[in-house]
Amino acid sequence: MREKEVRINIGDNGEAANLLGQQDKNLRFIEENSRAKIVARGNEVVISGDVCEVELAEKLFNQLVSLARSGQTIDINLINYTFNLLRGDQSQVKSKVLTNVLSEPIYVTPRGKHIKPKTMGQHRYIKAISTHDVVFGIGPAGTGKTYLAVVMAVKALKNKEVNRIVLVRPAVEAGEKLGFLPGDLQEKVNPYLRPLYDGLYDVLGLETAQKYMERGIIEVAPLAYMRGRTLDDSFIILDEAQNTTPEQMKMLLTRIGCGSKAVITGDVTQVDLPKGERSGLMQAEDILTDIKGIVFEYLDQKDVVRHPLVQKIIQAYEDYRPDNGEGERSG
């Protein structure tokens, strides 16, 4: 076995702290996921061991140093994503492409939070929303499909590209029966719409989001409320679209009026429709793929920006093949 040792300068104390993480949390994660020996000595990282493993770790640290110097906060999710890219298609991380893509903020919240794409897939998704009137964002939980769509909707509203935002979700129970909820109709459907409210509050702030909703500039509603309407000059987001029927999907898409954009998000592996009912999202893939102006963007487990274990959980479910009829995947 050929061995090699390299030394990488990780900058001043502030840069080193960003790279290595609080109490060396980032460094420990890299060590756990690398077969090379990695030792931090002051402002230098020493990597030793098998040539291939050392070269992989060296590329990782070079990427992370470049990201840190561009102002990016280094965390476990970013390290995990960069590791996965380097183990797979390395062409995506050449010539500082990753640094350029992940360092560009798409929106700054009132609290000063810079919202940026965290993966190449998210970057493609954002670009598609910017350049197309109808975008389908399809991928597993945790890939930022809904949140980034909300960010782009708020950005369009602030730039006066649209006059209002319409956020829509089908009211379909995710496996459990909620029974007869108390309250009026709006209170009954609010639990289904909570993820959309959460995204709005984070991007706009609670007070501004509520003010916009009171004035009708932002509408959050169940899908059934859209029937018979024409939505002009609007940014429309249909979330959890895998739980629409074909009729509902057609109904929503034909609501799009002049000057409007629509983003339809969903996860085709988590369909909660009654058994035998085909998903409107899956049918739309078959029908609309070749229409100019409509684009389908696919995110996968590499684009998950939650706990790194979520990627492994998604992959495990995708790989799972039951020996009998029990536990078959929906969708």
Side-chain angles (χ1 to χ4, degrees):
M1 181 178 74
R2 294 186 304 144
E3 294 204 348
K4 181 178 181 179
E5 179 179 289
V6 297
R7 296 170 181 267
I8 298 174
N9 185 284
I10 55 175
D12 59 26
N13 290 341
E15 195 171 284
N18 181 18
L19 190 67
L20 301 179
Q22 189 174 17
Q23 297 180 335
D24 289 345
K25 181 180 178 181
N26 294 346
L27 179 62
R28 288 197 303 274
F29 180 81
I30 296 170
E31 289 172 333
E32 290 167 3
N33 288 272
S34 173
R35 294 190 183 93
K37 182 180 178 182
I38 302 169
V39 179
R41 295 171 180 164
N43 293 67
E44 186 178 68
V45 170
V46 181
I47 309 169
S48 60
D50 175 69
V51 170
C52 292
E53 292 297 324
V54 169
E55 289 178 351
L56 175 63
E58 181 182 15
K59 289 174 182 175
L60 173 70
F61 273 100
N62 284 335
Q63 281 291 332
L64 296 178
V65 167
S66 180
L67 285 165
R69 288 175 182 169
S70 71
Q72 184 80 15
T73 299
I74 309 300
D75 58 21
I76 297 297
N77 285 323
L78 179 58
I79 295 168
N80 189 51
Y81 177 68
T82 309
F83 239 144
N84 288 338
L85 276 186
L86 289 167
R87 289 192 179 106
D89 182 7
Q90 295 190 27
S91 65
Q92 293 192 74
V93 289
K94 288 181 180 177
S95 304
K96 295 190 177 181
V97 169
L98 188 63
T99 303
N100 295 337
V101 165
L102 302 189
S103 298
E104 183 79 25
I106 57 172
Y107 185 77
V108 181
T109 71
R111 293 174 295 167
K113 175 183 176 182
H114 286 65
I115 299 175
K116 308 173 184 179
K118 295 183 178 179
T119 70
M120 298 292 285
Q122 288 189 352
H123 173 69
R124 290 193 302 272
Y125 178 52
I126 290 166
K127 188 174 181 181
I129 294 173
S130 299
T131 56
H132 292 77
D133 287 336
V134 179
V135 175
F136 286 80
I138 301 175
T143 51
K145 306 181 299 296
T146 303
Y147 183 78
L148 291 174
V150 170
V151 172
M152 295 299 286
V154 170
K155 183 178 180 181
L157 182 67
K158 293 284 190 180
N159 291 342
K160 302 188 185 305
E161 296 167 19
V162 296
N163 293 331
R164 61 176 169 165
I165 298 171
V166 181
L167 306 175
V168 187
R169 251 189 169 211
V172 176
E173 295 166 351
E176 67 272 19
K177 299 296 181 184
L178 299 181
F180 294 96
L181 295 171
D184 60 21
L185 184 58
Q186 188 64 47
E187 289 171 327
K188 288 178 188 292
V189 299
N190 273 348
Y192 298 103
L193 305 173
R194 176 50 54 190
L196 296 176
Y197 286 118
D198 290 343
L200 279 175
Y201 295 158
D202 187 60
V203 175
L204 278 172
L206 179 62
E207 187 176 329
T208 301
Q210 289 181 337
K211 181 177 71 175
Y212 281 0
M213 285 187 279
E214 288 168 4
R215 293 167 56 189
I217 296 172
I218 296 177
E219 179 181 356
V220 184
L223 179 58
Y225 281 28
M226 297 299 108
R227 192 170 298 279
R229 300 175 59 183
T230 299
L231 303 172
D232 292 326
D233 299 311
S234 302
F235 197 116
I236 307 154
I237 299 174
L238 171 59
D239 190 32
E240 295 290 323
Q242 76 276 4
N243 288 329
T244 61
T245 65
E247 294 76 18
Q248 288 173 327
M249 177 62 76
K250 180 182 176 183
M251 181 270 288
L252 186 283
L253 291 173
T254 54
R255 301 306 94 204
I256 302 171
C258 296
S260 291
K261 293 174 76 80
V263 179
I264 295 92
T265 71
D267 177 359
V268 294
T269 70
Q270 295 195 43
V271 177
D272 299 309
L273 293 169
K275 192 171 183 179
E277 182 83 68
R278 192 177 187 200
S279 166
L281 177 59
M282 297 170 77
Q283 186 191 68
E285 286 184 275
D286 296 336
I287 296 174
L288 305 176
T289 304
D290 297 326
I291 295 181
K292 188 176 181 181
I294 298 177
V295 65
F296 286 78
E297 282 295 333
Y298 295 90
L299 302 165
D300 59 28
Q301 67 267 19
K302 292 193 301 294
D303 299 300
V304 171
V305 292
R306 294 178 181 170
H307 194 290
L309 277 176
V310 174
Q311 291 183 353
K312 296 178 181 178
I313 291 168
I314 292 168
Q315 188 62 56
Y317 271 95
E318 288 184 356
D319 294 341
Y320 177 59
R321 294 292 181 272
D323 296 328
N324 52 48
E326 297 181 6
E328 291 180 356
R329 289 163 53 197
S330 62

